[in-house]
């Protein structure tokens, strides 16, 4: 007897339908054959499934069993096929009717006792099932909240194989799961840190406000202990909240990577990823024999913070070029090529020299000019070309350290940033970009036009400071954001002057 059961496989962060065709033939010697490019855990599912069936009191007649995973020319991996395979065998044996399983999608790993165990990538699978007009989705109970985020789909979270068969046969009723997304949205503003806790560094806070308002990449340069990491870690407290579609994008990545917290069906806050400088290029960009998301994708719609930037291996840093430019990363292997989203805001921090005290008036620098040059040359021009704001973070004086709270707080910064983002949303409503950091070509000329006085000022600055053409473009972008923060229609000389202030590395000839 032949049965057909639907599941899904992952390709990047999206899913496509996989149909498991199971045939039980009474002729010939008993055997089990699986075809359809099944890899690793899928091939091993035979042992788990037969043990789960036996321990759940389901008896299959001696048969020649053939299982086909269609489409047969696409690789399938993971343990999520255990449940659909078991259901297909039960249906092929006549224990369930074909109508009972028709229209359902299944995913879940089976223990030897028949208990359903959670799997990765349930959210993309749920989206695929909804788009295909599925009757419902059956997943392990631990995955049910994640899948239930998708509206318009009945999600049933079950605990055992026996319960699944009883539900499909109509013997027990299991109501669809509803996910309490409203509770998650209500909790997304609960930050336990604030910029008011940062003593001094008002210049750096202002730079962060500009960077967050225009989605500009940012690098801090300063001696050890000046607060670079402290400043960067508070950046998520001022970023605009995620929209629902953005939250779905981020959650899909974390679901595929197996990093979605069990108590959070939806990622409702912008990610903040801070990998160690010993990370490999595959860890940063993604990779593996069957590519998985890397840190740049886990930081999608959020912040990627690279502390001690020159300590990262140069080849690792160079792979950042594509995602910084395109907002996505493509990983190619012999058998497959996958694209992962990677639209993140890069924030980096570094010392001014190997010992860290080149710009610190209270400590003597022990580095030779050659050592400083060698240290800074670890950062290539094309990489720094993609970082708009270069911010000096000096050591904090004692008069600032003794203050209980210092200067501007996260709430006021966020209010300014949201107002600025609203201006950009209206300006670029019909354009393929969202923020000032993406301005280029004709759009840069249209939205960053200057008057005669501003042209004269900028020309003088470019000539005297020896600024490059790429620095000119970034100054215009930053100035546009500064003007938006002040709700100014046109870019003025003060906006340009402040923007030039944030290109210190250009003036020092580092790039």
């Amino acid at each position: 007897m032949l049965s057909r059961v639907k599941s899904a496989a992952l390709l990047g962060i999206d899913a496509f339908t996989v149909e498991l065709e199971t045939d039980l033939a009474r002729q010939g010697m008993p055997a089990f054959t699986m075809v359809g490019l099944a890899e690793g855990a899928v091939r091993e599912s035979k042992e788990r499934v037969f043990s789960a069936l036996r321990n759940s009191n389901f008896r299959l007649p001696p048969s020649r069993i053939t299982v086909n995973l269609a489409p047969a020319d696409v690789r399938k991996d993971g343990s999520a096929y255990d449940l659909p395979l078991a259901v297909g065998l039960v249906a092929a044996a006549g224990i369930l009717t074909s109508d009972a399983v028709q229209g359902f999608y299944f995913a879940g790993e089976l223990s030897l006792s028949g208990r359903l165990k959670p799997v990765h990538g349930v959210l993309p699978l749920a989206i695929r099932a909804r788009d295909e007009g599925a009757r419902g989705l059956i997943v392990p109970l631990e995955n049910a909240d994640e899948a239930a985020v998708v509206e318009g789909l009945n999600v049933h979270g079950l605990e055992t194989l026996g319960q699944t068969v009883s539900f499909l046969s109509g013997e027990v009723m299991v109501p669809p799961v509803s996910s309490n997304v409203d509770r998650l949205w209500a909790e997304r503003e609960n930050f336990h840190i604030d910029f008011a806790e940062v003593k001094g560094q008002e210049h750096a806070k202002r730079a962060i406000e500009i960077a967050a308002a225009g989605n500009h990449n940012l690098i801090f340069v300063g001696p050890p202990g000046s607060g670079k990491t402290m400043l960067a870690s508070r950046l998520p407290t001022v970023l605009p909240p995620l929209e629902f579609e953005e939250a779905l994008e981020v959650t899909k990545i974390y679901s595929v990577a197996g990093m979605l917290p069990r108590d959070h069906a939806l990622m409702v806050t912008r990610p903040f990823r801070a990998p160690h400088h010993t990370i490999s290029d595959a860890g940063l960009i993604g990779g593996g024999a069957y590519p998985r998301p890397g840190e740049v994708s886990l930081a999608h719609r959020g912040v990627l913070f690279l502390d001690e930037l020159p300590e990262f291996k140069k080849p690792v840093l160079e792979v950042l070029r594509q995602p910084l430019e395109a907002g996505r990363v493509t990983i190619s292997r012999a058998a497959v090529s996958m694209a992962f989203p990677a639209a993140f805001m890069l924030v980096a921090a570094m010392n001014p020299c190997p010992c860290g005290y080149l710009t610190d008036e209270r400590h003597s620098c022990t580095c030779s000019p050659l050592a400083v040059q060698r240290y800074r040359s670890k950062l290539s021009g094309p990489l720094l070309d993609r970082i708009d704001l270069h911010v000096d973070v000096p050591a904090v004086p004692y008069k600032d350290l003794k203050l209980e709270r210092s200067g501007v707080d996260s709430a006021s910064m966020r209010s300014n940033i949201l107002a600025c983002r609203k201006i950009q949303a209206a300006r670029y409503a019909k354009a393929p970009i969202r923020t000032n950091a993406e301005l280029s070509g004709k759009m840069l000329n249209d939205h960053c036009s200057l008057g005669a006085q501003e042209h004269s000022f900028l020309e003088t600055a470019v000539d005297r400071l020896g600024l490059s053409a790429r620095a000119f473009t970034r100054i215009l972008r930053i100035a546009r954001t500064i003007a938006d923060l002040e709700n100014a229609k046109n870019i003025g000389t003060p906006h340009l002057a402040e923007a030039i202030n944030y290109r210190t590395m250009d003036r020092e000839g580092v790039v």
Side-chain angles (χ1 to χ4, degrees), residues 7-342:
S7 185
L10 297 173
L11 187 62
I13 64 167
D14 295 313
F16 62 92
T17 299
V18 172
E19 187 174 59
L20 284 83
E21 299 175 310
T22 306
D23 179 56
L24 267 66
R26 302 294 179 89
Q27 297 82 16
M29 294 291 292
F32 180 90
T33 304
M34 180 181 288
V35 296
L37 281 184
E39 300 284 342
V42 184
R43 292 197 304 268
E44 295 171 353
S45 65
K46 169 191 170 184
E47 307 302 330
R48 292 191 298 273
V49 168
F50 278 102
S51 293
L53 288 169
R54 184 172 59 254
N55 291 319
S56 300
N57 297 318
F58 296 112
R59 297 290 182 266
L60 301 180
S63 311
R64 186 176 184 85
I65 301 172
T66 304
V67 178
N68 177 41
L69 285 72
D73 59 344
V74 181
R75 181 179 181 271
K76 292 89 180 176
D77 194 13
S79 57
Y81 299 100
D82 289 6
L83 179 59
L85 176 57
V87 171
L89 289 169
V90 170
I95 301 173
L96 286 173
T97 65
S98 58
D99 290 340
V101 301
Q102 187 175 6
F104 281 102
Y105 274 65
F106 300 84
E109 180 181 330
L110 284 172
S111 69
L112 300 185
S113 64
R115 184 173 66 87
L116 298 187
K117 302 173 72 174
V119 293
H120 302 163
V122 167
L123 181 60
L125 189 153
I127 294 173
R128 179 65 180 181
R130 180 201 60 187
D131 294 345
E132 291 294 312
R135 178 178 167 191
L137 171 65
I138 296 177
V139 293
L141 186 60
E142 291 91 333
N143 288 129
D145 283 344
E146 176 188 341
V149 168
V150 180
E151 297 180 354
L153 176 69
N154 290 328
V155 176
H156 303 275
L158 303 178
E159 298 184 71
T160 66
L161 177 59
Q163 184 187 20
T164 303
V165 174
S166 297
F167 168 71
L168 292 170
S169 64
E171 295 177 10
V172 298
M173 296 295 295
V174 180
V177 176
S178 60
S179 182
N180 192 357
V181 177
D182 292 338
R183 175 185 63 82
L184 295 174
W185 285 117
E187 294 176 354
R188 65 180 176 173
E189 305 295 326
N190 295 336
F191 295 107
H192 302 292
I193 52 178
D194 194 284
F195 271 106
E197 300 161 351
V198 181
K199 310 279 180 77
Q201 305 299 8
E202 298 305 313
H203 174 70
K205 292 181 188 179
R206 169 65 173 172
I208 286 175
E209 185 175 277
I210 295 169
N215 200 39
H216 301 283
N217 298 322
L218 170 73
I219 184 169
F220 292 124
V221 183
S226 58
K228 302 185 295 294
T229 303
M230 191 177 187
L231 286 161
S233 65
R234 281 155 177 75
L235 187 54
T237 68
V238 299
L239 290 174
L242 281 172
E243 299 175 1
F244 182 74
E245 290 302 320
E246 290 179 323
L248 275 181
E249 288 179 13
V250 175
T251 305
K252 283 168 66 176
I253 296 169
Y254 278 74
S255 177
V256 169
M259 298 178 65
L260 188 65
R262 290 297 176 199
D263 57 341
H264 283 72
L266 189 69
M267 297 288 291
V268 294
T269 57
R270 293 189 182 273
F272 181 86
R273 304 294 300 179
H276 193 261
H277 60 76
T278 56
I279 192 171
S280 66
D281 53 354
L284 186 64
I285 214 75
Y290 196 71
R292 295 292 183 186
E295 289 290 338
V296 296
S297 295
L298 294 171
H300 181 62
R301 301 300 181 193
V303 176
L304 178 67
F305 176 50
L306 302 183
D307 201 3
E308 305 295 343
L309 188 64
E311 300 301 326
F312 286 78
K313 297 175 183 176
K314 193 163 185 176
V316 173
L317 292 178
E318 292 307 304
V319 298
L320 285 172
R321 292 193 199 179
Q322 184 201 11
L324 283 173
E325 195 71 30
R328 61 192 298 107
V329 58
T330 302
I331 304 171
S332 298
R333 296 292 181 266
V336 66
S337 179
M338 291 187 183
F340 295 105

